[in-house]
C-alpha cells in the first residue's frame, strides 16, 4: 500500500497539494511499464470546446481521473507510464484552461489541467492516444459508458466509383514564401479535378471530391517552426474523397487559392500592420505589466515618463510637444495601465516600434498618418501601369467587367409633372445607370474580348494582384441541380342504383281476349300499358340489368313488376413527371400542353374576338445550394387540363402550387395535396307505399354515390456532381 502527496510548483501551502488516494498496486499493473508519454497536443473545437490529445508509444487503458475545487483542476493518472516530454509545463490560456503540468512520481505520470473554473469533460482512448474534451461550460464530468479498450481501427474508406480510382494525390507539401506566407501545395492526380475550399470557424477545410489519399500522405504535420500563420496540416480520407484541415496559429490570417494544371496552392498570409492595428483597437485592453504605486502632486508628464522608463527598463521617446503637469495617486496599478491613464489625461498617444515606445500628441500622430497615406497615394499615382490578359472560363467577361467597374444595368424612371397654369399632365422618362463600388484605381481600365471571353486589364502591379485574386474567387464553375417533380391525380368513383317500375298492360290476340297461361306462346300485337310507378334505375340502360315478372293478371289486364339495378366503379390514376436541370441560383422552367381558343363577341360588334389560353403542365424552379448540401427552392408547379364545355369554349381545370421548400440532396418531399370527397345517399319513393315493409322496394328508387379525388405533388432535387458533368 502506497500513500503520499506532492506539490505543484508555483503554488503555496495546502492549496497546491494534491493528495493521492491510497491503493494496492498489483503486479498486473506493471505490464504497462515501459510506455512513455511522448506528446500532448490540443485544438479548439466548435462551441468553445477544447480537445487534448495525449500520445503514448503503446496502447494503454483509460487513465484514472478526478477533479478538484479551490483551485479548480482536472487530474489524469497513468499507472506504469513514464514522462518523455521535455517541458513540464504547457501554457494554454484558452477555453477556460490556464496551463497544463506533467509530473512523474511513484511509477506513474500525472497530468494536471489548471482551470479558470469548474468544467465538464469527457475522456476516451483510441489505441495509443487518450483524447480529453473540455465542454467549455461549468459542470461535473458527464456519466457515460466505459470506453472501449480495444485497439483503434481506422474507419474504412467508402468505395469510390471506378472512373475516379485513378485520381490519387501525388503529394501534400508545405513551404514558406519570401514574405513569410505559408503555402499548402497539393499535387492532384487529375488536372481537371475541382476543390472545395472554405473557412469553417478558425480552420480552413480543403475538400477534394473523388480523390484518393495514399496511406503515406494520411498524416498530421506540425509546421509552426516555419514561422507562418499555419500551425497544423492534417490530411485524411473521407467518404467520397479526401479532406485536408489547416489549423492556423491564430484567427488573424488571410488565405487565397489558385490552381495551375495539376498543382493546387492555398496561400496563408498574416494580416497587414494596419489591419492588426485596427483589430487591436477593437479588442478589450488587458494589462499585464508589473504593478507599481505612484503618488505625485503636480508632476511634469515628462518626469512621469522617465519614472516609468526606469521602472520597466523600456525605451520611451517623448516628442518635443509633450508638456504639462499631472497629479497621480495610483495604488498597485500595472505600469502599462498607468502609462495609458497619463497619456489619455493629457491628450497624448503612443506607438510601439520594436522595443521603443514613442509618445506624442494624438494630433501629431494623425497628421503623420495622413502624410503617410498621401505619400502612398502619390506613389500609386506615379507607379507605372501594366497590362494583363486574364482568361475567363466559367462566366462571361462582360459580367466580371460590371463587377470591376461597379456599374449595374440601366434603369428607366418615369416622372409625371402637372402644369399649374394649363392643368396639363406631362410624363417624361429618364434612363439612369446605377453606380457601385469601383474596384479599379482612377488610372485603371478594363476592356473585354467577347470572341475569346478574356479580360484586358491595365492597372498597377498591386491592384493587378488583388483583381486577379478576386477573379479567381468569382470565376468558378457553378454546381447544377436536377429537379424532378411528380404530380399524381387519383380518382375513385363508385355509383350504385336500385329501382322498380309497375306497368299495367292490356293484351289482345287476334282481336279476342285471351287468358294466357305460362305455357302459351303468343305475340302481343296490341299493348296498351300505363306505368303506375316509374322509379327505374336511370343508369340501367347503359350499364345495368333488368328483371321482370308478372305480378297480377285480371282479365285483359296484366300488372307487371320490372326491377332494375346498375353499378359503376371507376378508378383512374394520372401521373405527370416533369424534370429539368439548372445551375445554382438560376431560374428555369419546362412546360407542355395546349392553347385553348375562347370566342367572345364584344357589345355592338358582329365579329367574334378569339383569344387563346394555356392548359399546360409546367415546372418552374429557382434552386439554391446551401452550405450543408441542402437545396432551397422557389417552386411553381402547374397541371392544367381542359374541362367542361361552355358557350365560349372549354373550361380549364387548374391545379397549381407555389411555395418555397428546403429539401436534402436526393430526398423526396411532398409539397402539398388536395383531397376531395363526395358522398351521396338518395331515395325516390311513393309516399307511404315506399315505406311499407316487404313490398316497399316496388315503390322506391335508391341511389348511393361515393366519389373521391386526390392530388399529390412530390419534388426530388439532386446535386449533380462534377464527375457526372464531365462524363
Amino acid at each position: 500500500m502506497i500513500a503520499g502527496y506532492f506539490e505543484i510548483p508555483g503554488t503555496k501551502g495546502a492549496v497546491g497539494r494534491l493528495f493521492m488516494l491510497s491503493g494496492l498496486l498489483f503486479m498486473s499493473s506493471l505490464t504497462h511499464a515501459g510506455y512513455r508519454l511522448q506528446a500532448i497536443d490540443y485544438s479548439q473545437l466548435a462551441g468553445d470546446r477544447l480537445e487534448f490529445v495525449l500520445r503514448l508509444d503503446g496502447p494503454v487503458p483509460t487513465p484514472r481521473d478526478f477533479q478538484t475545487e479551490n483551485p479548480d483542476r482536472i487530474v489524469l493518472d497513468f499507472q506504469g507510464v513514464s514522462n518523455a516530454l521535455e517541458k513540464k509545463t504547457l501554457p494554454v490560456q484558452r477555453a477556460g484552461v490556464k496551463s497544463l503540468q506533467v509530473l512523474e512520481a511513484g511509477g506513474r505520470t500525472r497530468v494536471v489541467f489548471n482551470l479558470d473554473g469548474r468544467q465538464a469533460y469527457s475522456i476516451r482512448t483510441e489505441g495509443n492516444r487518450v483524447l480529453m474534451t473540455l465542454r467549455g461550460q461549468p459542470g461535473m464530468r458527464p456519466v457515460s459508458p466505459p470506453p472501449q479498450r480495444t485497439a483503434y481501427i481506422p474507419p474504412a474508406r467508402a468505395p469510390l466509383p471506378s472512373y475516379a480510382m485513378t485520381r490519387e494525390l501525388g503529394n501534400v507539401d508545405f513551404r514558406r514564401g519570401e514574405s513569410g506566407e505559408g503555402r499548402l501545395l497539393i499535387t492532384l492526380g487529375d488536372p481537371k479535378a475541382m476543390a472545395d475550399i472554405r473557412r469553417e470557424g478558425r480552420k480552413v477545410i480543403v475538400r477534394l471530391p473523388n480523390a484518393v489519399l495514399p496511406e503515406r500522405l494520411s498524416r498530421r504535420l506540425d509546421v509552426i517552426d516555419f514561422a507562418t500563420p499555419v500551425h497544423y496540416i492534417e490530411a485524411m480520407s473521407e467518404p467520397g474523397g479526401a479532406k485536408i484541415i489547416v489549423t492556423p496559429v491564430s484567427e488573424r490570417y488571410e488565405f487565397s487559392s489558385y490552381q495551375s494544371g495539376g498543382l493546387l496552392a492555398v496561400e496563408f498570409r498574416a494580416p497587414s500592420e494596419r489591419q492588426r492595428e485596427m483589430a487591436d483597437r477593437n479588442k478589450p485592453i488587458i494589462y499585464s505589466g508589473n504593478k507599481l504605486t505612484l503618488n505625485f502632486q503636480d508632476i511634469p508628464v515628462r518626469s512621469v515618463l522617465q519614472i516609468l522608463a526606469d521602472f520597466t527598463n523600456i525605451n520611451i521617446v517623448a516628442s518635443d510637444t509633450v508638456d504639462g503637469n499631472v497629479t497621480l495617486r495610483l495604488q498597485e496599478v500595472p505600469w502599462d495601465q498607468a502609462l495609458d491613464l497619463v497619456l489619455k489625461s493629457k491628450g497624448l498617444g503612443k506607438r510601439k516600434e520594436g522595443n521603443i515606445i514613442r509618445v506624442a500628441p494624438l494630433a501629431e500622430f494623425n497628421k503623420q498618418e495622413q502624410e503617410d497615406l498621401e505619400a502612398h497615394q502619390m506613389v500609386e499615382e506615379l507607379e507605372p501601369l501594366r497590362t494583363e490578359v486574364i482568361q475567363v472560363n466559367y462566366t462571361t467577361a462582360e459580367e466580371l467587367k460590371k463587377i470591376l467597374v461597379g456599374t449595374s444595368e440601366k434603369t428607366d424612371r418615369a416622372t409625371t409633372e402637372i402644369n399649374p397654369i394649363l392643368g396639363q399632365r406631362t410624363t417624361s422618362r429618364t434612363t439612369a445607370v446605377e453606380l457601385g463600388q469601383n474596384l479599379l484605381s482612377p488610372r485603371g481600365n478594363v476592356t473585354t474580348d467577347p470572341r475569346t471571353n478574356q479580360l484586358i486589364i491595365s492597372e498597377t502591379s498591386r491592384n493587378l494582384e488583388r483583381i486577379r485574386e478576386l477573379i479567381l474567387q468569382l470565376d468558378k464553375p457553378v454546381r447544377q441541380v436536377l429537379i424532378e417533380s411528380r404530380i399524381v391525380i387519383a380518382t375513385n368513383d363508385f355509383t350504385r342504383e336500385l329501382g322498380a317500375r309497375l306497368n299495367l298492360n292490356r293484351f289482345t290476340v287476334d282481336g279476342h281476349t285471351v287468358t294466357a297461361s305460362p305455357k302459351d306462346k303468343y305475340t302481343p300485337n296490341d299493348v296498351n300499358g300505363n306505368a303506375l310507378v316509374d322509379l327505374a334505375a336511370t343508369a340501367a340502360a347503359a350499364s345495368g340489368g333488368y328483371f321482370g315478372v308478372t305480378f297480377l293478371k285480371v282479365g285483359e289486364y296484366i300488372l307487371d313488376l320490372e326491377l332494375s339495378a346498375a353499378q359503376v366503379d371507376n378508378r383512374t390514376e394520372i401521373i405527370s413527371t416533369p424534370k429539368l436541370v439548372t445551375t445554382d441560383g438560376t431560374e428555369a422552367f419546362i412546360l407542355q400542353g395546349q392553347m385553348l381558343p375562347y370566342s367572345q363577341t364584344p357589345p355592338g360588334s358582329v365579329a367574334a374576338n378569339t383569344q387563346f389560353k394555356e392548359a399546360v403542365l409546367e415546372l418552374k424552379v429557382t434552386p439554391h445550394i446551401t452550405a450543408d448540401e441542402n437545396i432551397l427552392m422557389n417552386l411553381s408547379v402547374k397541371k392544367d387540363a381542359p374541362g367542361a364545355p361552355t358557350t365560349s369554349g372549354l373550361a380549364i381545370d387548374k391545379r397549381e402550387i407555389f411555395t418555397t421548400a428546403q429539401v436534402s440532396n436526393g430526398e423526396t418531399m411532398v409539397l402539398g395535396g388536395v383531397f376531395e370527397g363526395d358522398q351521396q345517399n338518395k331515395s325516390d319513393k311513393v309516399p307511404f307505399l315506399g315505406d311499407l315493409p316487404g313490398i316497399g322496394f316496388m315503390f322506391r328508387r335508391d341511389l348511393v354515390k361515393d366519389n373521391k379525388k386526390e392530388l399529390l405533388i412530390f419534388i426530388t432535387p439532386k446535386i449533380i456532381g462534377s464527375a457526372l458533368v464531365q462524363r
Side-chain angles (χ1 to χ4, degrees):
M1 184 176 293
I2 298 176
Y5 71 91
F6 62 90
E7 290 190 1
I8 304 299
T11 59
K12 298 180 181 180
V15 176
R17 300 175 182 175
L18 296 176
F19 287 88
M20 298 183 295
L21 300 177
S22 301
L24 295 175
L25 301 179
F26 296 97
M27 293 301 296
S28 60
S29 66
L30 298 178
T31 57
H32 301 289
Y35 291 153
R36 298 181 302 170
L37 179 61
Q38 294 182 327
I40 299 178
D41 298 327
Y42 65 89
S43 60
Q44 187 86 31
L45 304 179
D48 198 23
R49 295 180 299 157
L50 200 62
E51 183 182 72
F52 290 86
V53 180
L54 291 78
R55 303 176 187 273
L56 294 86
D57 57 356
V60 293
T62 303
R64 175 177 169 271
D65 65 281
F66 60 90
Q67 195 168 13
T68 65
E69 294 183 356
N70 197 19
D72 294 308
R73 293 192 176 101
I74 298 175
V75 181
L76 304 182
D77 275 346
F78 294 86
Q79 181 64 40
V81 176
S82 60
N83 180 24
L85 300 177
E86 296 180 358
K87 297 182 179 180
K88 309 302 180 184
T89 302
L90 176 66
V92 181
Q93 296 297 339
R94 64 183 60 192
V97 181
K98 296 187 290 186
S99 63
L100 182 150
Q101 293 174 314
V102 182
L103 303 171
E104 181 181 358
R108 69 178 67 181
T109 296
R110 170 166 290 184
V111 183
V112 181
F113 299 86
N114 299 312
L115 311 177
D116 288 335
R118 198 168 183 83
Q119 291 195 27
Y121 66 97
S122 62
I123 301 174
R124 70 181 190 276
T125 59
E126 294 179 356
N128 64 335
R129 301 193 309 168
V130 177
L131 291 85
M132 174 178 167
T133 304
L134 294 173
R135 305 300 184 185
Q137 57 185 359
M140 299 293 291
R141 178 183 176 184
V143 179
S144 59
Q148 300 292 331
R149 300 190 179 186
T150 58
Y152 173 68
I153 301 176
R157 289 196 298 263
L160 296 176
S162 58
Y163 62 85
M165 294 303 292
T166 58
R167 300 184 179 180
E168 183 175 293
L169 299 183
N171 193 16
V172 177
D173 196 7
F174 182 81
R175 297 179 184 177
R176 185 179 189 274
E178 297 179 356
S179 302
E181 66 273 11
R183 291 186 183 139
L184 172 62
L185 304 177
I186 305 172
T187 304
L188 305 175
D190 185 2
K192 297 181 180 179
M194 303 302 299
D196 181 14
I197 305 173
R198 64 183 64 185
R199 180 169 180 173
E200 297 182 2
R202 178 184 171 187
K203 301 179 181 180
V204 173
I205 309 298
V206 181
R207 285 187 170 87
L208 302 168
N210 301 326
V212 179
L213 183 69
E215 289 294 335
R216 60 182 176 84
L217 299 179
S218 182
R219 57 189 177 180
R220 187 183 190 189
L221 303 176
D222 188 349
V223 295
I224 194 172
D225 294 338
F226 285 82
T228 66
V230 181
H231 194 173
Y232 295 109
I233 297 175
E234 187 172 3
M236 63 183 66
S237 299
E238 66 176 2
K243 178 172 68 173
I244 299 175
I245 303 175
V246 181
T247 304
V249 177
S250 66
E251 296 183 357
R252 296 185 186 179
Y253 68 91
E254 301 173 350
F255 78 96
S256 61
S257 63
Y258 58 89
Q259 182 174 344
S260 176
L263 181 64
L264 173 64
V266 185
E267 188 173 286
F268 296 83
R269 298 177 302 276
S272 62
E273 184 67 27
R274 180 69 176 174
Q275 292 173 332
R276 286 196 297 267
E277 189 175 305
M278 294 299 296
D280 291 337
R281 292 181 181 178
N282 297 330
K283 287 180 58 177
I285 301 176
I286 300 177
Y287 298 104
S288 58
N290 296 329
K291 296 182 179 180
L292 52 76
T293 300
L294 298 176
N295 190 354
F296 295 102
Q297 183 73 26
D298 199 21
I299 183 176
V301 175
R302 305 179 71 89
S303 300
V304 176
L305 297 178
Q306 182 64 39
I307 294 173
L308 294 175
D310 294 339
F311 177 78
T312 59
N313 293 326
I314 293 179
N315 301 320
I316 298 180
V317 177
S319 174
D320 294 339
T321 54
V322 175
D323 56 3
N325 297 343
V326 65
T327 299
L328 298 176
R329 183 176 177 81
L330 302 177
Q331 187 75 22
E332 291 294 321
V333 176
W335 71 265
D336 46 358
Q337 184 178 7
L339 176 61
D340 286 350
L341 291 174
V342 172
L343 298 181
K344 290 179 180 178
S345 64
K346 305 303 292 184
L348 302 174
K350 66 177 181 179
R351 297 291 185 269
K352 189 173 182 180
E353 299 176 1
N355 60 348
I356 300 176
I357 297 179
R358 292 197 307 118
V359 178
L362 291 175
E364 187 174 329
F365 280 124
N366 294 336
K367 182 179 180 181
Q368 182 179 356
E369 291 177 358
Q370 183 178 359
E371 292 176 353
D372 293 341
L373 291 176
E374 292 176 354
H376 179 70
Q377 183 178 0
M378 185 176 298
V379 170
E380 286 189 349
E381 293 177 355
L382 298 177
E383 185 178 357
L385 298 179
R386 288 178 49 203
T387 301
E388 186 170 337
V389 179
I390 299 178
Q391 179 66 48
V392 180
N393 298 319
Y394 301 103
T395 184
T396 61
E398 279 295 334
E399 292 295 329
L400 290 180
K401 178 183 176 181
K402 292 180 181 179
I403 297 176
L404 296 177
V405 177
T407 59
S408 62
E409 297 182 356
K410 295 181 179 180
T411 57
D412 293 334
R413 296 185 178 90
T415 304
T416 302
E417 297 180 354
I418 300 177
N419 192 318
I421 299 177
L422 301 178
Q424 296 177 349
R425 183 187 300 268
T426 59
T427 302
S428 61
R429 305 189 65 86
T430 58
T431 301
V433 178
E434 298 180 359
L435 298 178
Q437 183 180 5
N438 191 347
L439 301 179
L440 301 174
S441 66
R443 298 192 299 150
N445 185 29
V446 57
T447 57
T448 62
D449 183 6
R451 184 177 59 86
T452 59
N453 199 31
Q454 290 180 334
L455 285 171
I456 305 172
I457 303 175
S458 179
E459 258 293 0
T460 61
S461 299
R462 183 174 309 192
N463 282 348
L464 273 177
E465 181 179 355
R466 182 169 56 88
I467 292 173
R468 190 187 304 110
E469 293 177 358
L470 176 62
I471 293 176
L472 286 175
Q473 294 293 327
L474 298 177
D475 186 25
K476 291 183 177 180
V478 181
R479 290 192 288 180
Q480 301 185 74
V481 183
L482 170 64
I483 309 294
E484 181 176 336
S485 177
R486 291 181 180 86
I487 306 171
V488 180
I489 304 174
T491 304
N492 188 0
D493 296 339
F494 175 79
T495 303
R496 183 176 61 196
E497 190 175 8
L498 300 175
R501 179 163 54 187
L502 286 174
N503 294 326
L504 180 62
N505 299 325
R506 181 173 177 269
F507 281 81
T508 59
V509 178
D510 296 331
H512 300 282
T513 302
V514 177
T515 301
S517 64
K519 297 182 179 179
D520 294 335
K521 296 181 180 180
Y522 61 91
T523 302
N525 55 11
D526 186 10
V527 179
N528 297 323
N530 295 316
L532 300 179
V533 178
D534 189 1
L535 293 175
T538 57
S543 59
Y546 295 90
F547 176 75
V549 63
T550 299
F551 188 71
L552 181 65
K553 179 180 178 183
V554 179
E556 299 179 357
Y557 295 92
I558 299 176
L559 183 62
D560 292 334
L561 173 63
E562 181 182 288
L563 301 178
S564 58
Q567 179 172 319
V568 179
D569 193 353
N570 180 24
R571 296 184 179 182
T572 306
E573 188 173 290
I574 302 174
I575 301 177
S576 305
T577 309
K579 62 176 66 175
L580 55 84
V581 176
T582 182
T583 58
D584 183 15
T586 303
E587 183 185 46
F589 73 94
I590 184 172
L591 62 87
Q592 178 188 10
Q594 54 185 327
M595 304 288 289
L596 301 179
Y598 286 81
S599 299
Q600 294 181 352
T601 303
S605 177
V606 179
N609 183 14
T610 303
Q611 297 180 352
F612 289 86
K613 294 186 178 181
E614 294 182 346
V616 298
L617 167 65
E618 180 181 11
L619 170 62
K620 183 182 295 184
V621 60
T622 304
H624 172 64
I625 303 175
T626 62
D628 53 355
E629 298 298 321
N630 291 334
I631 303 171
L632 183 65
M633 297 171 290
N634 292 329
L635 284 160
S636 175
V637 184
K638 183 188 300 184
K639 178 66 173 71
D640 299 340
T646 64
T647 56
S648 301
L650 292 177
I652 298 178
D653 296 335
K654 296 188 68 65
R655 304 174 185 90
E656 184 175 1
I657 185 173
F658 177 78
T659 183
T660 299
Q662 180 173 324
V663 187
S664 299
N665 181 24
E667 294 188 357
T668 300
M669 174 183 284
V670 181
L671 292 181
V674 178
F675 177 80
E676 299 179 52
D678 181 11
Q679 293 184 349
Q680 181 179 0
N681 292 322
K682 182 180 179 182
S683 180
D684 298 332
K685 59 186 177 181
V686 177
F688 179 73
L689 296 179
D691 297 328
L692 293 177
I695 62 173
F697 69 93
M698 295 186 298
F699 306 95
R700 186 172 63 241
R701 177 170 59 201
D702 296 329
L703 175 66
V704 177
K705 281 187 177 182
D706 188 2
N707 298 337
K708 299 177 182 178
K709 182 180 293 185
E710 188 171 8
L711 169 67
L712 291 175
I713 301 176
F714 303 85
I715 195 72
T716 305
K718 297 178 182 178
I719 300 176
I720 302 178
S722 58
L724 180 59
V725 174
Q726 293 174 4
R727 293 178 64 192

